[in-house]
Amino acid sequence: MRLISALRALGHRVELFELGAGSGAVGYVRARGRVAEAIRILLPDVLHVHYGPCGLAVPRTDVPIVTTFVGDDLNGTPDRSGRTTWKSRVGILLSHYAARRSRRCIAVSASLRSRLRSAVLRKKTVVIRDAVDPELFQPLPRAAARERLSLPPDAVLVMFPHDTTQPTKRLWLAEAAVAELRRHVPAAQLWVVNGKPPDEMPWHYAAADAMIVTSLREGGPSSVKEALACGIPVVSVAVGDTDLSREVPERIRVAAANAGALAAALHDALKMPRERRSLLPPGLELREAARAVVAVYRQAMAP
């Protein structure tokens, strides 16, 4: 929705067609008639599909299609044993089908783009990373954030802003890392933040001392960019958009996926100055991303 707002601010007309969460492949196929009717009425210049399998909802059309891949659509979803589920394997196949049908594709990280299995598909896919609205995600006073959220002022909070119901996020690894960290920083706590309104998230980042990413697989994730925009140091396993660790080495630590290495990286991150300033690298502001998306649209529309 933020991207749509940014595109509209640039003067483009955007109409949103929601397929419905959790509808799955059957739901996407059933939506084809409604999508065809929307195409007939709206006469769009381009169709932008978000999440690979959703491409099943797009009927045969002469309108150029752009598909954005965001994570599990190409990575797959592991079960508790770490094996990719059969359902998500089908989703990966459907994503490749969507990529073949699309004039151009977008991936939210270079590592996700590499999951496309043919050079032809990778060639027509551009990386446009998750972007952040700097007017929303910006440094806020830590003390004021803690007071607002009724959090103890002296606790050392390591934020885990990920869906704990997804095994791929590996909450257990974050818990183990913070437990190890407490040997050196007794006040350290893992702070799980889920299901909060987006407009409230800057206050949660402000209240944290650091953020941790322990996911087995990721597309971005966007939370890392949000944390950087709010001036929060991030410790992550090597996953998703690892380029950020080279672009912002003073605020991102990449560690091996074990409790000891993550705890050491967290200990190091907590020694960083508490002065909060945006650390978002160039190119990751929402307006810049919107312009990059428009460039992809124009490429898709070219004869």
Side-chain angles (χ1 to χ4, degrees):
M1 293 304 299
R2 293 195 195 106
L3 176 61
I4 287 173
S5 296
L7 289 169
R8 287 171 175 161
L10 292 175
H12 303 287
R13 179 187 172 194
V14 183
E15 299 290 343
L16 179 65
F17 192 95
E18 295 189 63
L19 300 175
S23 58
V26 173
Y28 299 150
V29 172
R30 287 176 177 168
R32 280 192 166 206
R34 292 187 290 119
V35 174
E37 180 68 5
I39 293 172
R40 186 185 68 78
I41 294 171
L42 298 172
L43 299 175
D45 295 300
V46 66
L47 296 169
H48 190 169
V49 176
H50 289 264
Y51 193 71
C54 292
L56 271 182
V58 179
R60 187 185 299 273
T61 179
D62 292 330
V63 180
I65 301 171
V66 172
T67 298
T68 289
F69 300 107
V70 298
D72 284 2
D73 44 6
L74 287 177
N75 283 331
T77 305
D79 58 23
R80 294 192 177 278
S81 68
R83 297 188 182 91
T84 304
T85 65
W86 283 106
K87 181 178 179 180
S88 67
R89 290 183 188 185
V90 172
I92 292 171
L93 292 175
L94 292 176
S95 293
H96 281 77
Y97 168 71
R100 286 193 293 273
R101 293 185 68 201
S102 301
R103 290 272 189 91
R104 292 289 187 273
C105 298
I106 297 170
V108 299
S109 68
S111 63
L112 190 62
R113 177 181 176 270
S114 71
R115 302 287 292 183
L116 289 164
R117 295 170 182 169
S118 82
V120 172
L121 297 183
R122 292 192 294 273
K123 184 176 180 180
K124 67 177 178 179
T125 301
V126 63
V127 175
I128 302 178
R129 297 183 292 179
D130 293 323
V132 173
D133 180 356
E135 294 183 6
L136 175 61
F137 292 96
Q138 57 180 289
L140 296 169
R142 178 177 178 271
R146 297 236 171 156
E147 182 177 355
R148 180 188 180 101
L149 300 173
S150 300
L151 295 169
D154 299 327
V156 176
L157 298 179
V158 178
M159 187 179 180
F160 185 88
H162 315 292
D163 186 354
T164 58
T165 66
Q166 297 184 32
T168 188
K169 303 300 182 183
R170 297 197 291 194
L171 173 62
W172 61 268
L173 181 54
E175 291 173 334
V178 174
E180 180 70 18
L181 175 65
R182 274 197 294 271
R183 295 175 56 187
H184 305 283
V185 185
Q189 300 177 25
L190 184 67
W191 184 34
V192 178
V193 178
N194 291 141
K196 304 298 180 183
D199 290 353
E200 281 294 311
M201 284 304 295
W203 289 104
H204 288 77
Y205 288 118
D209 294 291
M211 193 186 97
I212 188 169
V213 179
T214 50
S215 303
L216 181 63
R217 300 172 188 171
E218 282 286 359
S222 58
S223 58
V224 172
K225 287 86 168 181
E226 293 169 356
L228 290 174
C230 294
I232 309 303
V234 177
V235 169
S236 176
V237 296
V239 69
D241 193 2
T242 53
D243 287 347
L244 280 171
S245 62
R246 293 189 289 273
E247 294 172 49
V248 196
E250 72 273 23
R251 285 287 174 164
I252 292 185
R253 297 287 186 270
V254 177
N258 63 74
L262 287 164
L266 282 169
H267 196 206
D268 188 33
L270 291 170
K271 296 176 183 177
M272 296 176 186
R274 281 196 173 179
E275 178 190 358
R276 297 286 169 86
R277 60 182 178 83
S278 175
L279 297 160
L280 197 65
L284 291 181
E285 290 192 4
L286 195 57
R287 180 178 286 267
E288 296 170 310
R291 290 195 183 102
V293 169
V294 171
V296 174
Y297 291 164
R298 298 198 186 284
Q299 292 168 8
M301 293 164 55

